[in-house]
Amino acid sequence: MKSFLKGVLFVFAVIAVIFIGYKLIYGGPDQTPVGDVTGSYPVVAADTEEADPDTPDTAQPGEKPADEERGYTASDFDFYYKQLNDSEKVIYAGVYNALTDGKNAIRIKGLTEENYRNRIKRSVYAMMYDHPEIFWISGGYTTTKTTGADSKISVLLELEYYEFYEYSSNPKRYTDELLEKVHDVSALAYGMENDYERVKYIFRYLSEHTDYDHARLAESKKTFHSPSSMLIYTPYACLVENKAVCAGYAKAFKMLCNACGIDCLYVTGWGDKERHGWNCVKLDGDYYFVDATWGDSDVTYDGVKLECVNYEYLCMNRSTLELSHTLSEELFVPPLCESEKYDYFVYNGFLLSEYSDDGVSDVIERQSGERPVLIRFTNFAAYKETTECVYRNRVTALKPLNIAFSKSEDKYTIYIYVIDG
């Protein structure tokens, strides 16, 4: 028994040494903590009455608008803020103002016991989704509740920083580098002729300049991971380091669209049964889904990686999205996304209802230089006939080309990969 106890104590001692060493390397006593973690916290007074989130705040003549009283002015791009009720908007504004002031916590007064946890969760995530430029918070947070004599509760809300930011000796450099990159890339996108072409440019830019970071994703899931591995979830990783995962792609996409004056929001859910993040973008009054991560869909042919920009994930409506994605609607209601006007296939005339050599060849020739060349059909018969003709090398536009191809029966879509050129 003594030997067993000694063994247990030895294991705990080793773990303690590792933990202390980890803190000394990445967050030792000579590091300057980010935010106020020991002093007083900003206090926000949340209303306890439930308001209809679909009803805009109104003010009587001579009164300040509700947003102004809270010290926060919502922009046209704050999609999630507009879904909150009044008390949630107060919390959202308090969190936003604290974080932009270099603090990571606020005290919330005036809440009732009922449903306060969900209010806080909605407020925090709405703020994060609306403001990807505040990329240093992880989404984790803790709440400490106290109850007063009037049964009203006060909650200390403390948000968690990503380790790379918390332990950095110069965290501001991350923000400066990100904003400079957003400015440079959005200036190029803004030079396109219309908003659709700007969105398409941003989609292509992220595909061509970013790699999906499988290595750091695996590292980030370890118990003792390197702080820098957590960068992959941020727009900084996507735009400055050129390596990220879906959250980084999608948040960078939103920042670039917003910088071009285009309404864009970050949405979450599942893709191929895994947690996933992508976007909605607004064009001519209608929203469309965009998945820049899946647009970066390189394939390997005969041992050689072929770089691809897959535009089938550009401007999808909901019915098309749901062939491969599932939206999360636990906290927020996403836009309807019913229009097909700017669907990549519809807008460019790459959606066919029947097979003809001239029609298919025209679609292929108008996508010269693209990989993959995409053709979608409205019915199975046309899709099946075209697939057979491509396989048998009967399509005139393909005869001089060295190609590989794949197909999706669920989507009635053919993907043609030009190997040379």
Side-chain angles (χ1 to χ4, degrees):
M1 178 61 73
K2 289 183 178 179
S3 298
F4 173 76
L5 291 174
K6 286 181 179 178
V8 171
L9 290 172
F10 176 76
V11 170
F12 277 108
V14 170
I15 292 173
V17 169
I18 293 173
F19 179 78
I20 292 169
Y22 177 82
K23 287 293 186 181
L24 288 175
I25 292 172
Y26 295 118
D30 59 337
Q31 299 285 336
T32 303
V34 179
D36 180 1
V37 295
T38 58
S40 60
Y41 302 104
V43 177
V44 299
D47 299 330
T48 57
E49 294 181 2
E50 292 289 348
D52 182 353
D54 296 325
T55 303
D57 290 324
T58 58
Q60 297 299 318
E63 292 182 351
K64 291 183 178 180
D67 290 349
E68 195 172 319
E69 288 179 355
R70 287 190 286 268
Y72 179 82
T73 302
S75 78
D76 292 338
F77 302 148
D78 288 343
F79 177 87
Y80 293 104
Y81 177 86
K82 297 168 187 174
Q83 292 200 29
L84 303 179
N85 63 40
D86 281 349
S87 62
E88 291 167 343
K89 287 179 178 178
V90 173
I91 300 168
Y92 175 117
V95 170
Y96 174 84
N97 291 330
L99 289 167
T100 53
D101 287 342
K103 300 180 183 295
N104 75 320
I106 61 172
R107 294 187 186 277
I108 309 164
K109 293 186 175 181
L111 292 173
T112 56
E113 183 75 32
E114 184 181 1
N115 207 28
Y116 81 90
R117 291 184 180 87
N118 192 57
R119 289 187 186 184
I120 290 174
K121 185 175 183 179
R122 278 170 50 84
S123 304
V124 170
Y125 277 84
M127 195 285 306
M128 288 177 56
Y129 290 177
D130 282 342
H131 293 280
E133 75 278 9
I134 302 178
F135 60 88
W136 53 89
I137 55 173
S138 68
Y141 60 86
T142 59
T143 56
T144 305
K145 181 190 70 169
T146 56
T147 305
D150 58 357
S151 298
K152 297 291 178 64
I153 63 174
S154 173
V155 177
L156 174 62
L157 170 63
E158 297 177 275
L159 295 105
E160 296 176 6
Y161 290 123
Y162 281 123
E163 297 101 312
F164 71 83
Y165 193 84
E166 183 177 1
Y167 300 144
S168 172
S169 60
N170 182 19
K172 186 176 181 295
R173 73 175 177 85
Y174 292 104
T175 304
D176 292 344
E177 290 171 342
L178 173 60
L179 295 181
E180 181 179 0
K181 197 69 176 181
V182 168
H183 174 271
D184 292 345
V185 177
S186 62
L188 295 172
Y190 196 76
M192 300 295 105
E193 60 184 289
N194 56 48
D195 280 350
Y196 173 82
E197 294 298 335
R198 292 179 186 111
V199 168
K200 183 180 177 183
Y201 178 91
I202 294 168
F203 186 94
R204 186 179 192 96
Y205 179 91
L206 295 183
S207 177
E208 292 181 339
H209 292 83
T210 311
D211 292 323
Y212 193 91
D213 199 337
H214 295 280
R216 281 199 296 184
L217 176 61
E219 170 67 17
S220 71
K221 294 180 178 180
K222 296 178 181 178
T223 302
F224 294 103
H225 53 259
S226 65
S228 63
S229 68
M230 305 308 290
L231 274 163
I232 57 172
Y233 302 101
T234 71
Y236 177 93
C238 182
L239 290 172
V240 179
E241 297 188 329
N242 305 123
K243 289 184 177 182
V245 294
C246 60
Y249 279 81
K251 291 172 183 178
F253 190 90
K254 173 175 168 57
M255 289 188 72
L256 292 171
C257 285
N258 289 169
C260 290
I262 300 170
D263 189 2
C264 179
L265 53 137
Y266 176 71
V267 296
T268 63
W270 294 263
D272 283 342
K273 299 181 179 179
E274 295 184 354
R275 289 294 302 179
H276 191 45
W278 63 97
N279 299 95
C280 272
V281 65
K282 194 173 188 178
L283 296 170
D284 288 348
D286 292 310
Y287 279 105
Y288 301 84
F289 291 108
V290 176
D291 191 338
T293 309
W294 284 21
D296 185 8
S297 54
D298 296 345
V299 300
T300 300
Y301 174 78
D302 200 20
V304 177
K305 187 172 90 166
L306 304 177
E307 294 187 359
C308 304
V309 181
N310 190 345
Y311 287 118
E312 75 170 308
Y313 299 109
L314 175 65
C315 295
M316 301 173 282
N317 65 13
R318 181 155 183 164
S319 61
T320 300
L321 177 88
E322 290 178 344
L323 294 173
S324 53
H325 297 61
T326 302
L327 276 166
S328 173
E329 300 182 69
E330 175 189 359
L331 293 176
F332 307 108
V333 179
L336 292 176
C337 297
E338 295 178 322
S339 176
E340 291 186 339
K341 178 179 178 180
Y342 286 106
D343 175 275
Y344 179 71
F345 297 93
V346 174
Y347 183 75
N348 293 287
F350 302 153
L351 179 68
L352 303 179
S353 59
E354 61 182 10
Y355 171 78
S356 72
D357 182 68
D358 287 345
V360 171
S361 290
D362 174 66
V363 168
I364 293 169
E365 288 168 353
R366 285 193 291 118
Q367 293 181 74
S368 177
E370 300 291 355
R371 184 191 289 135
V373 170
L374 300 168
I375 313 173
R376 180 164 287 173
F377 299 87
T378 60
N379 61 84
F380 180 76
Y383 157 80
K384 188 69 173 177
E385 184 178 2
T386 306
T387 301
E388 183 69 15
C389 289
V390 172
Y391 178 73
R392 300 291 181 187
N393 196 25
R394 294 174 182 168
V395 180
T396 300
L398 295 178
K399 288 181 178 178
L401 303 176
N402 180 20
I403 68 161
F405 83 98
S406 60
K407 52 193 174 64
S408 170
E409 190 167 299
D410 291 342
K411 300 178 181 178
Y412 301 161
T413 302
I414 299 173
Y415 311 81
I416 299 168
Y417 303 90
V418 179
I419 308 302
D420 304 316

